[in-house]
Amino acid sequence: MKVLITGASGLIGTELVKSYLTKRVGVNFLTTNKSKINQIQGAKGFYWNPSNNFIDLNCFDDVDSIIHLSGSTISKLWTSSYKKKIFSSRVDSTKLLYNSIKKLMNSHKVKNIVSASAIGIYPSDDNEVQTETTATSQESFMQNVVLSWEREVTAFESLKIKVAKLRLGLVLTKKGGVLGPLKIAAKFGLSSAFGTGKQGQSWIHIHDTVRIFIEAVEKKWEGNFNAVSPNPVTQTKFISALAKAMKRPFLLPPIPKFFINLIIGEMSHLILDSHWVSSEKVNNKGFKFDYPEVNKALESLLK
Ligand SMILES: NC(=O)c1ccc[n+]([C@@H]2O[C@H](COP(=O)([O-])OP(=O)(O)OC[C@H]3O[C@@H](n4cnc5c(N)ncnc54)[C@H](OP(=O)(O)O)[C@@H]3O)[C@@H](O)[C@H]2O)c1
């Protein structure tokens, strides 16, 4: 079996590649950075540049499944030019994969694609539980990005390729991601929630994230799936669990919403939006989370 991974050098991709290589699964990966082509021992790198419509078609040789993770980070300030990059790095890269497979016609073996997506597709809601059938809209910038991205991924169905979209929650890892800046604040005893602190945080441990991708590929899942732990928590609970795991005090009152809006503008959605996302569909697929509780998940990453 061979997989092709885009965004393999990122937070999720790095762990996913490691796991596949341990299982002796063949890994090809696409990178937008030529210096990374030979960086992953045991895997074969290929260059692509979705903004110039360039891709090395050899990347598809003998590939059974595609895992699509690429996209420029959403943690940089959302200037209007950077917003275009957030959008195009997801939408145009998906279009390029689609057009390449279409061009290859019968000379490829790809049977399924599993793409990252995000719970940011759901409207923010303080109370409602969000399932895969919750109505989505293009109200916010992030909803527009994710909807457009998912639409391009769904197009693979017209090529008789099975499609799964994993709507990821906040992925918790040892390094970087959402825990990166929060750990620094906690280290100095400056942990604090944002806004009311009552907003839902739907999170998932990196270990379970990698397992869900592998299972979705192996079992050829089709459709949309929330990739979140079964137990979302309020932001206050999340931040206090983090402080506790780091043996630091959780002292400060929440930082007011108006102040956050003033400093980071539209990007404040990332920390003020509320998502109580259900993992029921993934549970019903027989997936068992190794880290269903936030305290244990954080302890495992911070010990
Ligand atoms: N981590 C989370 O909490 C989370 C939550 C929800 C959704 N997601 C989504 O899941 C995907 C993977 O997440 P991640 O945390 O692993 O992301 P990441 O660490 O930011 O890595 C994404 C990868 O995308 C590639 N990339 C960067 N800019 C690009 C561009 N302009 N065009 C094409 N590719 C580009 C890079 O690989 P190369 O340099 O090798 O090309 C990078 O390593 C992302 O699309 C992210 O939006 C993540």
Side-chain angles (χ1 to χ4, degrees):
M1 181 192 172
K2 195 186 266 185
V3 294
L4 170 66
I5 304 180
T6 73
S9 61
L11 213 63
I12 300 169
T14 306
E15 297 305 316
L16 191 59
V17 172
K18 268 193 223 160
S19 189
Y20 270 130
L21 293 179
T22 313
K23 292 174 191 290
R24 300 191 180 277
V25 169
V27 176
N28 283 358
F29 67 93
L30 278 165
T31 178
T32 55
N33 185 334
K34 283 184 181 162
S35 70
K36 292 183 189 168
I37 286 179
N38 297 314
Q39 250 177 27
I40 310 180
Q41 220 184 348
K44 204 163 172 193
F46 299 86
Y47 176 68
W48 72 331
N49 186 343
S51 48
N52 287 347
N53 229 16
F54 176 83
I55 185 166
D56 181 345
L57 289 175
N58 294 315
C59 70
F60 296 104
D61 285 354
D62 292 325
V63 164
D64 305 287
S65 307
I66 301 174
I67 300 177
H68 185 34
L69 302 171
S70 65
S72 59
T73 179
I74 56 162
S75 311
K76 277 193 192 163
L77 202 58
W78 293 1
T79 58
S80 56
S81 70
Y82 194 68
K83 276 163 75 173
K84 282 185 191 142
K85 197 165 175 185
I86 290 177
F87 185 92
S88 67
S89 60
R90 288 168 177 80
V91 173
D92 295 348
S93 63
T94 315
K95 274 187 188 158
L96 181 54
L97 286 175
Y98 171 86
N99 289 331
S100 311
I101 293 282
K102 195 173 173 190
K103 202 168 7 173
L104 286 172
M105 291 171 65
N106 294 331
S107 53
H108 73 84
K109 287 174 45 188
V110 178
K111 291 167 205 70
N112 62 333
I113 177 166
V114 176
S115 177
S117 175
I119 60 168
I121 197 165
Y122 299 121
S124 172
D125 198 303
D126 282 336
N127 305 304
E128 284 295 311
V129 172
Q130 290 131 338
T131 73
E132 289 81 353
T133 57
T134 296
T136 54
S137 71
Q138 277 170 290
E139 252 165 62
S140 72
F141 165 67
M142 200 37 74
Q143 281 177 292
N144 183 33
V145 169
V146 185
L147 267 171
S148 311
W149 184 18
E150 283 201 355
R151 205 173 292 135
E152 297 304 328
V153 181
T154 306
F156 279 82
E157 287 172 356
S158 68
L159 304 175
K160 307 260 179 298
I161 288 176
K162 292 183 175 163
V163 174
K165 286 151 277 173
L166 303 186
R167 294 176 172 168
L168 295 157
L170 301 167
V171 179
L172 308 184
T173 59
K174 271 195 175 128
K175 282 187 208 151
V178 65
L179 285 187
L182 294 178
K183 267 162 55 181
I184 297 172
K187 197 170 162 186
F188 293 102
L190 296 173
S191 288
S192 163
F194 304 95
T196 62
K198 290 181 185 155
Q199 59 274 46
Q201 302 284 272
S202 294
W203 58 274
I204 179 167
H205 193 293
I206 182 67
H207 168 83
D208 285 328
T209 310
V210 167
R211 289 178 56 238
I212 288 192
F213 270 98
I214 292 179
E215 200 150 320
V217 167
E218 273 176 18
K219 299 198 172 151
K220 303 214 167 39
W221 290 3
E222 286 184 85
N224 302 326
F225 298 88
N226 294 330
V228 292
S229 84
N231 296 300
V233 290
T234 63
Q235 194 177 75
T236 299
K237 180 151 185 219
F238 183 84
I239 304 277
S240 64
L242 173 73
K244 192 172 162 218
M246 290 182 69
K247 301 189 172 37
R248 290 287 191 276
F250 175 61
L251 296 170
L252 301 176
I255 299 170
K257 187 173 170 180
F258 79 87
F259 186 69
I260 298 160
N261 282 332
L262 196 70
I263 305 289
I264 56 172
E266 197 179 3
M267 206 179 167
S268 61
H269 279 289
L270 293 180
I271 49 178
L272 295 175
D273 280 2
S274 179
H275 289 120
W276 295 98
V277 179
S278 163
S279 66
E280 199 179 336
K281 193 173 172 189
V282 161
N283 299 340
N284 289 342
K285 278 270 177 196
F287 185 83
K288 300 261 180 291
F289 287 85
D290 284 339
Y291 292 97
E293 304 288 344
V294 76
N295 287 321
K296 290 250 162 62
L298 288 170
E299 276 165 25
S300 81
L301 294 165
L302 299 168
K303 69 183 172 205

